[in-house]
Structures are given as C-alpha cells and as structure tokens.
C-alpha cells in the first residue's frame, strides 16, 4: 500500500497516508492502539473496503472488486466467529469443505494443525465447552486450514496462554519457511512482535 487514504462514512480519516509493503514469506506485525485504523486496513485487504486515494496491491494485483484474486487468503477476525453447538472437528471439516479441499488434503491438514495447536484432544468438544484460548486457537486453525498464500490475523493471541501463544508463533514461522506464506498480524504485544516478526509497523493517530 502506497499513499493509502480512506475516510469513514462520517468523513473522518480511517486510513491516512499509509505506506507499507510485505515480501513473500515474511511475517509483518502491525502495532497500534484502538481506532488507529487497523480494522479499516484489514477491510481493504479483504476487499470489503477500498482506498479513495493511493495504491493497494497484492501480488501485483490491484485490490478492487473488478479484479479476481490470483492468490488464496486466510483471515482470522479479532472476534471469534464460531458456532456454539458444533464441535471442533465439525468446524474444521466444514471450513475445509468451504475451501474446496479434497478429503485427503483436509484429513492431513486437520491432523497437522490440531497437533500443532494442541487441539487434538478437544476435537469432540462443542465450542461452548471450550476456554477462550482454545476458541482463539480454533479460529487461527480455520484461517490457515488450506495453507493460504496470505494469512491475516487480527489479535490472534488474545486470551491465549503462554504455551498457546508459542504454538501459534511456531506454526506461523513454519508456514512462512516451508510454504512461503506471507503473514500480517495485528497485536498489542511488543514482545510477541519482536519475537516473531521479520518486519514491524505501527499505526496511530
């Protein structure tokens, strides 16, 4: 994004002169307080909002409604979007189906990610029976189930204990190293950013 500029519906600036780039296979951590514009930035990346001025591209493609993405995108919202009366296993199988994965690929991915994130022994539990940290790790697993080209995680470690945070960071580092996935993370934890990031940016008013 170069010279990115966007307004809220009330006319106030949501993103103002934003400039940054992330290279393939990098982990980019974005630090910023509430109302700094992180959500607006993520809406732009998801193609749910667009810049008024400036340039926004992924893999050389302009972010617009008219251009079909030539890459896969995995997204984890700050608030968990889960079904209380579905199990962990059901969530993973449904999402792998949404992503068009074959049964074999889905089975392998579910086995790998549940082991990596410590979810394996919780597979038969309903979401409403999970702790907040476990729900967060499930949301991360759903975002990366197909091993997408680009992974965007909005505060992925909120409510997650130290062991869980380490599991998430280790998994993301593995995906960037082996799959060359590109990862954009927003976080309030400077120590996490310094631990995991190849590049750190800050948004603020």
């Amino acid at each position: 994004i170069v010279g990115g500029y966007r307004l809220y519906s009330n006319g106030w600036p949501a993103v103002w002169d934003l400039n940054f780039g992330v290279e393939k296979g990098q982990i980019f951590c974005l630090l910023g307080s509430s109302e700094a514009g992180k959500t607006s930035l993520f809406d732009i990346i998801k193609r749910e909002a667009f810049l008024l001025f400036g340039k926004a591209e992924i893999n050389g493609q302009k972010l617009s409604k008219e251009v079909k993405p030539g890459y896969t995108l995995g997204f984890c919202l700050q608030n968990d979007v889960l079904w209380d009366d579905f199990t962990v296993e059901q969530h993973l199988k449904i999402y792998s189906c949404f992503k068009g994965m074959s049964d074999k690929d889905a089975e392998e991915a579910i086995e790998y990610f549940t082991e990596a994130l410590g979810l394996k022994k919780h597979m038969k539990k309903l979401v409403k029976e999970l702790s907040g940290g476990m729900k967060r790790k499930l949301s991360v697993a759903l975002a990366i189930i197909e091993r997408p080209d680009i992974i965007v995680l909005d505060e992925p470690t909120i409510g997650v204990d130290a062991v869980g945070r380490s599991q998430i960071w280790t998994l993301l580092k593995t995906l960037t190293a082996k799959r060359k996935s590109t990862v954009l993370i927003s976080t309030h934890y400077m120590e996490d950013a310094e631990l995991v990031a190849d590049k750190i940016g800050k948004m603020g008013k």
Side-chain angles (χ1 to χ4, degrees):
I1 295 181
V2 179
Y5 177 88
R6 178 172 174 76
L7 298 176
Y8 289 116
S9 58
N10 62 8
W12 286 92
V15 174
W16 183 280
D17 195 25
L18 180 63
N19 299 273
F20 79 93
V22 187
E23 295 180 20
K24 184 176 182 178
Q26 279 191 334
I27 297 178
F28 179 77
C29 276
L30 187 64
L31 297 167
S33 60
S34 298
E35 300 184 354
K38 299 191 299 297
T39 299
S40 294
L41 168 61
F42 292 151
D43 285 344
I44 292 166
I45 293 172
K46 290 186 295 179
R47 299 173 183 247
E48 293 180 0
F50 301 96
L51 294 178
L52 295 178
F53 302 101
K55 180 175 72 171
E57 294 182 349
I58 295 179
N59 284 359
Q61 290 185 324
K62 183 180 178 181
L63 295 180
S64 72
K65 291 181 179 179
E66 291 75 30
V67 180
K68 183 178 180 180
Y71 52 86
T72 53
L73 174 67
F75 204 96
C76 177
L77 297 170
Q78 186 171 352
N79 298 316
D80 298 314
V81 183
L82 305 169
W83 301 294
D84 283 346
D85 294 316
F86 282 62
T87 65
V88 170
E89 184 177 31
Q90 286 171 329
H91 275 81
L92 292 163
K93 287 184 175 180
I94 289 169
Y95 266 72
S96 63
C97 184
F98 285 164
K99 297 293 185 178
M101 299 172 67
S102 69
D103 290 344
K104 181 175 182 294
D105 287 344
E107 184 178 341
E108 291 177 353
I110 291 170
E111 174 73 17
Y112 175 74
F113 288 124
T114 54
E115 179 70 32
L117 292 171
L119 290 167
K120 206 164 188 179
K121 63 182 179 181
H122 302 282
M123 292 290 278
K124 301 301 182 181
K125 287 185 180 179
L126 300 177
V127 159
K128 63 185 177 185
E129 299 172 336
L130 300 177
S131 67
M134 284 296 169
K135 290 179 182 178
R136 202 71 193 124
K137 290 199 285 185
L138 175 57
S139 292
V140 171
L142 297 176
I144 62 179
I145 188 71
E146 64 171 335
R147 298 179 176 89
D149 301 317
I150 298 167
I151 301 167
V152 182
L153 306 173
D154 192 359
E155 301 286 355
T157 57
I158 285 181
V160 181
D161 62 22
V163 173
R165 286 160 68 181
S166 178
Q167 289 170 330
I168 292 172
W169 298 145
T170 299
L171 180 55
L172 292 175
K173 285 184 176 181
T174 300
L175 287 173
T176 57
K178 292 186 176 181
R179 301 282 300 189
K180 292 301 179 183
S181 295
T182 302
V183 182
L184 175 61
I185 303 167
S186 74
T187 181
H188 290 301
Y189 301 115
M190 174 60 84
E191 63 271 25
D192 281 351
E194 292 177 338
L195 176 67
V196 74
D198 299 299
K199 186 184 293 185
I200 297 174
K202 185 176 184 299
M203 290 185 75
K205 294 185 176 182

